[in-house]
């Protein structure tokens, strides 16, 4: 049964029960799959049933999608989402066009094929993710997470708490890219819910110190996830993977400048008491600026693993992110290539070390 037929046989009253949250347990990893936003959005865009728009907005998955978009665009909210949905159904693109719903409506067949692939290969996806996470799990660790498949967001993937979301519209026929983003976001879940035990000490930090600490934690989290799920390892890339690879290559070409940006952010957060982390977050971690600090963290991972051995990140996942940057600094000084492995200034490392108290 293809997606169109499958959606037609699902009544509105069942939509809050079609999460398909069938747990996939492999030793100490349990995965659940939530397709609710995808299926209801698909049904509305395919059949033009505007009466379902309020039901779509009530879905927790849809609220996660809207909240994520609002992190980068203040105009993203329930009202603009519904307006864009209804305008797209009329056959016109919305003036706001925040959620790309009109574009999605033009690509429903490709989305249907991708959804069918996921449903038919769910066990393979589960096994693939478990194999990626296994080296970083201890026997006593338990990882329980829900993967939410979305369409209509502004981020290809994002994670929070015990769930992570993937927006299928970004991938279409690029299955390799989809699996890569699943790995990336799954690693974030592992970071947040299995490790980062040192977070219990952050209440001792002053406000400006907390900003620097949060910056370093995001640097470590995004850097390690980008290191684990590296698109440059994919042969014969399809469109999304090609774009993803170009983003990596761009940032590696300017890696010394990316390091300089990180140092400038640390210095400002330390000396400018009117600055808070929200002032600088987007510069380092938003797609608008090509997420430069993802690649600073990734380059640091590369060097530390080069010096200390494979899966050494298992150890750093259980430490403060300050220890990660201090270890990198030690090894960067040993290298004869400051263009590839920039060395932090004495002032910057001195500021960072103050957090190790």
């Amino acid at each position: 049964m293809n997606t169109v037929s499958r959606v037609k046989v699902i009544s509105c009253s069942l939509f809050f029960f079609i999460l398909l949250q069938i747990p996939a347990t492999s030793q100490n990893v349990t995965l659940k799959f939530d397709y609710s936003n995808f299926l209801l959005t698909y049904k509305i865009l395919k059949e033009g049933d505007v009466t379902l728009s309020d039901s779509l907005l009530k879905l927790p998955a849809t609220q996660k999608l809207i909240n994520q978009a609002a992190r980068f665009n203040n105009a993203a909210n329930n009202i603009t989402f519904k307006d864009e949905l209804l305008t797209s159904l009329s056959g016109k693109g919305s003036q706001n066009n925040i959620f790309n719903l009109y574009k999605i409506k033009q690509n429903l067949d490709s989305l249907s094929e991708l959804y069918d692939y996921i449903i038919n290969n769910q066990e393979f996806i589960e096994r693939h993710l478990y194999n990626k996470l296994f080296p970083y799990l201890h026997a006593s660790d338990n990882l329980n997470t829900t993967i939410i498949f979305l369409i209509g967001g502004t981020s290809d993937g994002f994670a929070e708490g015990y769930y992570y979301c993937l927006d299928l519209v970004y991938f279409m026929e690029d299955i390799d890219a989809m699996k890569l983003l699943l790995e990336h976001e799954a690693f974030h879940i592992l970071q947040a819910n299995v490790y980062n035990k040192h977070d219990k000490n952050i209440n001792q930090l002053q406000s400006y110190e907390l900003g620097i600490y949060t910056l370093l934690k995001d640097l470590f989290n995004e850097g390690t996830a980008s290191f684990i799920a590296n698109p440059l390892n994919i042969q014969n890339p399809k469109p999304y993977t090609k774009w993803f690879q170009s983003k990596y290559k761009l940032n590696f070409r300017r890696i010394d400048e990316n390091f300089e940006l990180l140092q400038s952010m640390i210095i400002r957060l330390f000396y400018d008491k009117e600055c808070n982390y929200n002032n600088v977050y987007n510069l380092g971690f938003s797609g608008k600026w090509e997420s430069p600090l993802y690649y600073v963290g990734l380059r640091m991972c590369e060097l530390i693993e080069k010096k200390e051995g494979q899966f050494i990140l298992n150890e750093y996942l259980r430490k403060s992110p300050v220890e990660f940057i201090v270890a990198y600094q030690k090894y960067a000084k040993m290298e004869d290539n400051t263009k590839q492995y920039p060395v932090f200034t004495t002032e910057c490392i001195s500021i960072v070390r103050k957090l190790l108290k």
Side-chain angles (χ1 to χ4, degrees), residues 33-47:
F33 295 79
D34 179 343
Y35 301 98
S36 58
N37 171 271
F38 176 92
L39 287 174
L40 188 48
T41 306
Y42 183 97
K43 180 180 177 69
I44 293 171
L45 292 175
K46 185 69 177 179
E47 300 179 2

Side-chain angles (χ1 to χ4, degrees), residues 250-259 289-292:
L250 166 66
N251 277 282
F252 285 149
R253 287 196 299 269
R254 65 180 191 192
I255 197 65
D256 54 334
E257 296 170 350
N258 289 2
F259 270 81
W289 306 106
E290 304 295 348
S291 310

Side-chain angles (χ1 to χ4, degrees), residues 3-19:
T3 303
V4 176
S5 300
R6 183 184 294 110
V7 170
K8 284 182 177 179
V9 301
I10 301 174
S11 68
C12 299
S13 62
L14 291 177
F15 262 99
F16 289 99
F17 301 95
I18 61 172
L19 299 185

Side-chain angles (χ1 to χ4, degrees), residues 1 10 14 54 80 112 139 165 170 196 263 269 276 292 295-296 298 311 324 351:
M1 182 184 296
I10 301 174
L14 291 177
D54 288 336
T80 53
S112 171
C165 301
Y170 286 88
N196 289 331
Q263 295 194 89
L269 286 166
N276 63 62
Y295 305 93
V296 172
L298 190 158
F311 301 129
F324 177 70
I351 291 172

Side-chain angles (χ1 to χ4, degrees), residues 1-166:
M1 182 184 296
N2 62 27
T3 303
V4 176
S5 300
R6 183 184 294 110
V7 170
K8 284 182 177 179
V9 301
I10 301 174
S11 68
C12 299
S13 62
L14 291 177
F15 262 99
F16 289 99
F17 301 95
I18 61 172
L19 299 185
L20 302 185
Q21 291 187 336
I22 304 169
T25 304
S26 194
Q27 295 185 27
N28 47 353
V29 176
T30 300
L31 302 176
K32 296 179 182 178
F33 295 79
D34 179 343
Y35 301 98
S36 58
N37 171 271
F38 176 92
L39 287 174
L40 188 48
T41 306
Y42 183 97
K43 180 180 177 69
I44 293 171
L45 292 175
K46 185 69 177 179
E47 300 179 2
D49 191 345
V50 297
T51 65
L52 296 175
S53 58
D54 288 336
S55 296
L56 178 61
L57 279 170
K58 291 177 182 178
L59 287 175
T62 304
Q63 287 303 305
K64 289 176 173 58
L65 180 154
I66 295 172
N67 291 340
Q68 174 68 9
R71 295 180 65 191
F72 307 103
N73 188 333
N74 292 333
N77 54 46
N78 284 11
I79 295 173
T80 53
F81 180 88
K82 185 173 182 179
D83 173 70
E84 188 174 326
L85 179 66
L86 298 180
T87 305
S88 298
L89 289 175
S90 71
K92 302 176 183 178
S94 170
Q95 287 185 341
N96 291 321
N97 199 33
I98 299 169
F99 302 97
N100 298 311
L101 293 172
Y102 180 73
K103 177 183 176 182
I104 293 169
K105 191 175 188 301
Q106 314 310 309
N107 291 278
L108 290 178
D109 289 343
S110 295
L111 281 168
S112 171
E113 292 174 6
L114 181 55
Y115 171 78
D116 287 337
Y117 172 86
I118 294 170
I119 291 295
N120 293 329
N121 293 274
Q122 186 167 300
E123 289 186 8
F124 169 78
I125 292 170
E126 296 159 4
R127 187 164 58 252
H128 175 76
L129 289 176
Y130 176 76
N131 290 337
K132 279 289 183 178
L133 297 175
F134 178 76
Y136 303 96
L137 291 167
H138 286 185
S140 60
D141 291 333
N142 290 295
L143 181 61
N144 301 303
T145 186
T146 298
I147 304 171
I148 302 173
F149 293 99
L150 307 169
I151 48 174
T154 57
S155 297
D156 48 13
F158 59 96
E160 182 178 334
Y162 289 92
Y163 69 84
Y164 66 101
C165 301
L166 209 71

